[in-house]
Amino acid sequence: MDFRPTEEQTAATGLAARVFRDLSTHERLTAAGTGSDAELWKALTSAGLAAAVEDIGLLGLVLLLEEQGRTTAQVPYAATCAYGILPLIRHGGPDQRARLLPALGTGEAVATGAFPGRGRISATPDGRLTGTAPVVPWLRDATHVLVPDAGRSVWLVRTDLPGVETSAVETTAPWGAGRLTLTGVQAERLGQGPGVYEDVLAVARTAFAGLQAGVCAGSLARAVEYTSTREQFGRPLSTNQGVMLRAADAHMDTEAIRVTTYEAAWRLDEGLSAHEHALTAAWWASEAGKRVVHTGQHLHGGTGADLDHPVHRHFLWGRQLDAYLGCGSELLAELGTLLADGPPQASTEGTTDEGR
């Protein structure tokens, strides 16, 4: 394993950090409400940070999503890359890539996914989908949705087609989520070989685990800054042993999320079996992430209970990512089954060396 970033990954990460730091401010996040920051999304895509995923791979994307998580930036970056750009690179046909990747890279198109599949959507032999996905992140911004059917075939659906109905759903985190209802919608299949669904899900879990690593790092950084400057009984709160222990545990949890996510991303980029590694990263992101954002809020004392304080946003994102990834016990049960039965056959249909 080699987690050292390439020059391209390092440059992209530095650029992303500057864009997020400059534009994803508390004031702008407050003004955005539950929707996306259109100006920030335009800045990201204009800087080439969506299109760059074609070159920097999943591990590079994880590094960039950490920067998004640090600032809880309200843009459909993770969804577009995890459910649009990377699946097309790994499984899309030449026509699909040529037609969709440029638009996704410039932000003209926005993708999301109705994952994980729960068997709620059926497909006819000619690719017409019917069913409902109750909560899809960033659906209100999406032009395309990646949808698995009950048989775990994966389909691309344009949200402007007849028979597609979307309605807003409010979650704990302001992700522009929505309910997707399909009624006989003509869809476009993504990939033909076995294991496409499992691969897309593994990539998405890894990407969102990387986002959680950033959310936790941002929460912890705020807690360290607060406890280092807030004094009680004539000394900073950070000098209290209990505070130091909580912060140290949160740091180790954050590092565990990060290293398991890097391993899963590296293996997926290299074309190696990584389904159990993606589940492990998701489990750490769910279980440990929940602990970290609780710690970040608790170490702010009464200030952490203020719904308008920036640290509360990290708390909401951390809990939403916990729920979205599947919650710890559910992921652990799935991991146990996978280890007992063996990983599914990975699909290399449509995968290129550049996409690995």
Side-chain angles (χ1 to χ4, degrees):
M1 291 179 291
D2 186 358
F3 300 157
R4 289 174 297 180
T6 63
E7 290 184 10
E8 293 81 0
Q9 290 170 341
T10 300
T13 303
L15 177 57
R18 289 195 297 274
V19 173
F20 286 127
R21 182 178 62 247
D22 292 345
L23 294 182
S24 186
T25 62
H26 177 59
E27 293 73 23
R28 291 177 62 91
L29 289 169
T30 301
T34 62
S36 297
D37 187 331
E39 184 179 341
L40 174 55
W41 180 234
K42 183 178 180 180
L44 281 171
T45 54
S46 297
L49 290 171
V53 176
E54 295 187 50
D55 298 317
I56 63 177
L58 179 56
L59 181 55
L61 174 61
V62 165
L63 296 172
L64 270 59
L65 290 177
E66 283 190 64
E67 300 304 327
Q68 180 185 1
R70 290 178 197 274
T71 59
T72 58
Q74 288 175 206
V75 287
Y77 188 48
T80 291
C81 295
Y83 292 125
I85 294 174
L86 285 175
L88 282 166
I89 292 171
R90 297 172 70 87
H91 304 291
D95 173 69
Q96 290 175 323
R97 296 179 198 169
R99 178 164 37 89
L100 296 172
L101 283 176
L104 289 168
T106 61
E108 179 184 353
V110 174
T112 188
F115 279 70
R118 305 292 187 186
R120 297 187 177 100
I121 295 174
S122 61
T124 61
D126 64 345
R128 292 192 175 273
L129 305 186
T130 299
T132 300
V135 182
V136 180
W138 304 110
L139 181 62
R140 284 177 260 173
D141 299 305
T143 59
H144 295 76
V145 186
L146 203 59
V147 179
D149 65 22
R152 293 195 168 181
S153 294
V154 179
W155 306 85
L156 273 168
V157 176
R158 282 174 36 202
T159 57
D160 61 351
L161 291 177
V164 177
E165 181 183 345
T166 64
S167 56
V169 173
E170 299 302 334
T171 63
T172 55
W175 285 5
R179 177 185 178 91
L180 176 69
T181 302
L182 306 175
T183 307
V185 178
Q186 184 64 59
E188 177 181 359
R189 185 159 182 173
L190 182 71
Q192 297 293 330
V196 175
Y197 169 85
E198 288 80 7
D199 184 73
V200 171
L201 183 57
V203 167
R205 280 172 165 164
T206 303
F208 280 93
L211 186 62
Q212 181 76 302
V215 170
C216 291
S219 175
L220 184 57
R222 291 188 182 279
V224 168
E225 180 183 8
Y226 177 80
T227 57
S228 297
T229 56
R230 176 76 165 88
E231 291 191 358
Q232 190 175 63
F233 305 117
R235 60 177 185 169
L237 288 172
S238 60
T239 61
N240 293 323
Q241 188 178 43
V243 172
M244 289 189 285
L245 290 173
R246 289 291 301 276
D249 286 342
H251 171 72
M252 294 305 297
D253 273 338
T254 302
E255 290 302 300
I257 299 170
R258 180 177 286 120
V259 72
T260 53
T261 302
Y262 287 2
E263 181 181 14
W266 177 82
R267 291 184 66 89
L268 285 162
D269 279 342
E270 293 296 314
L272 302 173
S273 174
H275 296 88
E276 63 270 32
H277 302 83
L279 269 168
T280 301
W283 180 83
W284 273 104
S286 175
E287 283 290 291
K290 183 166 50 182
R291 289 196 296 266
V292 172
V293 295
H294 274 269
T295 294
Q297 191 170 27
H298 290 168
L299 291 182
H300 278 75
T303 304
D306 183 356
L307 301 185
D308 295 324
H309 194 280
V311 77
H312 190 70
R313 190 174 290 110
H314 289 270
F315 174 77
L316 295 179
W317 275 62
R319 291 311 307 261
Q320 182 62 37
L321 281 163
D322 166 39
Y324 184 66
L325 288 166
C327 299
S329 58
E330 182 181 349
L331 291 166
L332 201 59
E334 186 178 344
L335 178 59
T337 301
L338 180 64
L339 293 175
D341 297 343
Q345 180 66 39
S347 170
T348 58
E349 180 75 23
T351 304
T352 64
D353 290 339
E354 289 83 5
R356 294 190 175 202

